[in-house]
Amino acid sequence: MVDLHCHILPFVDDGPKEIHDCLEMAKTAADAGIIHLFATPHHLNGQYNNSKSVILESVLECNMHLQREKIPITVHPGQELMIHREIFISLENDELLTLDDKGKFLLLELPSWEVPNYTQDVVYELLLKGIIPIIVHPERNKGFIEDQNQLFELVQEGALTQLTAGSIIGHFGKKVKSFSEKIIKHNLAHFIATDAHNIGSRGFCLHEAYETITKTFGINQTFYFRENAELLLSGQQIFIERPVPIRKFLGIFDF
Ligand code: FE
């Protein structure tokens, strides 16, 4: 399997604090059936700044350790960028790091309590540069939970989304789990990833998430997500289902 989002690099953010913990994470991921994994440290989230050059260097070093320890996993560079109004400054500074540094997909994080009113503008600005933003864990965002159609509008505009594996299997509570299912049902999710931070409560439960998706939606839905991650990795066109608006339930007049 391919994991598009995790915090495995040591010393850079709220992931592992030691190289030893990083290698333990990699072993756990490999045991869980993950062979390619994107290291996506936080950038500009108010606590951590990790620009492109720092991450690229750290990924090189991490892969050297993995080879030395014969852990069968490849780490690819990425970044989890916190949305901010002056995204053009980050673009000009060349500090943003798209997945695998291919200039195509960027993990975009929103503050967990809201969808900023400039989100559509930022999505548009990135798309203009040929970068497709992947909004990470929208199912855990209070703003999207309260006004669910905002997510449809962003996907309609051209953004993609990634749900967290733990949300699907209930690690973040019932509300987040049921919103995750709703997002999938409305074709508003394109990828599943672990967002792993450690080998404990925030680990690599990708396989379990796919099993749950298969039980709830059928095997084709799991293939869709698994293949999309593989297609992204190999630089091929990913599948995008036609997004369906999320309407508020209006009782018998719901249409
Ligand atoms: Fe993350």
Side-chain angles (χ1 to χ4, degrees):
M1 292 183 290
V2 178
D3 188 7
L4 296 179
H5 177 176
C6 83
H7 301 263
I8 195 170
L9 297 178
F11 322 114
V12 294
D13 63 2
D14 50 352
K17 300 282 172 256
E18 308 272 348
I19 186 70
H20 171 263
D21 297 340
C22 158
L23 296 174
E24 281 301 304
M25 276 182 82
K27 265 184 223 159
T28 313
D31 289 345
I34 293 165
I35 49 172
H36 290 280
L37 172 158
F38 282 81
T40 53
H42 289 290
H43 184 49
L44 300 177
N45 74 341
Q47 225 182 334
Y48 303 107
N49 292 341
N50 287 292
S51 59
K52 180 175 169 172
S53 54
V54 171
I55 300 170
L56 288 175
E57 202 173 307
S58 178
V59 166
L60 270 180
E61 207 174 307
C62 182
N63 278 320
M64 264 162 47
H65 281 287
L66 292 172
Q67 278 173 6
R68 204 175 299 149
E69 300 289 322
K70 298 193 170 42
I71 300 171
I73 201 160
T74 306
V75 174
H76 300 258
Q79 184 185 53
E80 182 177 10
L81 172 73
M82 177 56 82
I83 194 165
H84 63 104
R85 213 185 282 268
E86 292 84 20
I87 197 106
F88 65 94
I89 297 179
S90 293
L91 284 162
E92 271 171 21
N93 289 347
D94 196 28
E95 64 188 50
L96 301 188
L97 177 56
T98 51
L99 295 178
D100 247 343
D101 199 15
K102 285 181 179 159
K104 184 101 194 263
F105 298 99
L106 179 71
L107 297 193
L108 186 67
E109 185 181 25
L110 272 51
S112 60
W113 61 91
E114 65 165 353
V115 178
N117 57 12
Y118 50 86
T119 303
Q120 282 208 330
D121 296 344
V122 168
V123 166
Y124 182 71
E125 213 166 325
L126 287 168
L127 289 170
L128 271 184
K129 297 269 179 202
I131 299 171
I132 301 173
I134 300 176
I135 298 172
V136 299
H137 39 71
E139 78 282 4
R140 283 157 49 202
N141 180 289
K142 203 163 167 273
F144 284 133
I145 292 172
E146 281 167 6
D147 181 0
Q148 303 186 350
N149 222 36
Q150 285 191 94
L151 188 62
F152 165 77
E153 281 160 13
L154 290 166
V155 172
Q156 179 93 322
E157 192 185 348
L160 300 176
T161 79
Q162 169 254 304
L163 302 179
T164 300
S167 302
I168 288 154
I169 55 177
H171 283 178
F172 297 93
K174 275 187 190 164
K175 207 172 175 178
V176 169
K177 180 177 162 66
S178 79
F179 188 35
S180 304
E181 289 168 358
K182 204 167 184 181
I183 291 172
I184 295 175
K185 232 180 264 172
H186 289 78
N187 295 340
L188 299 175
H190 308 90
F191 306 100
I192 310 292
T194 68
D195 195 7
H197 283 66
N198 51 49
I199 54 171
S201 57
R202 299 288 302 274
F204 293 95
C205 49
L206 196 53
H207 183 66
E208 292 88 331
Y210 284 143
E211 268 186 347
T212 305
I213 291 170
T214 301
K215 270 186 210 145
T216 316
F217 298 97
I219 190 75
N220 284 343
Q221 187 68 58
T222 295
F223 284 151
Y224 169 79
F225 288 128
R226 284 189 61 152
E227 281 178 31
N228 262 353
E230 286 164 21
L231 291 167
L232 183 149
L233 178 75
S234 58
Q236 296 178 69
Q237 190 76 33
I238 65 147
F239 298 118
I240 301 177
E241 301 270 17
R242 193 159 166 254
V244 177
I246 302 180
R247 293 195 175 91
K248 279 190 182 137
F249 183 65
L250 300 171
I252 57 166
F253 299 112
D254 188 28
F255 58 86

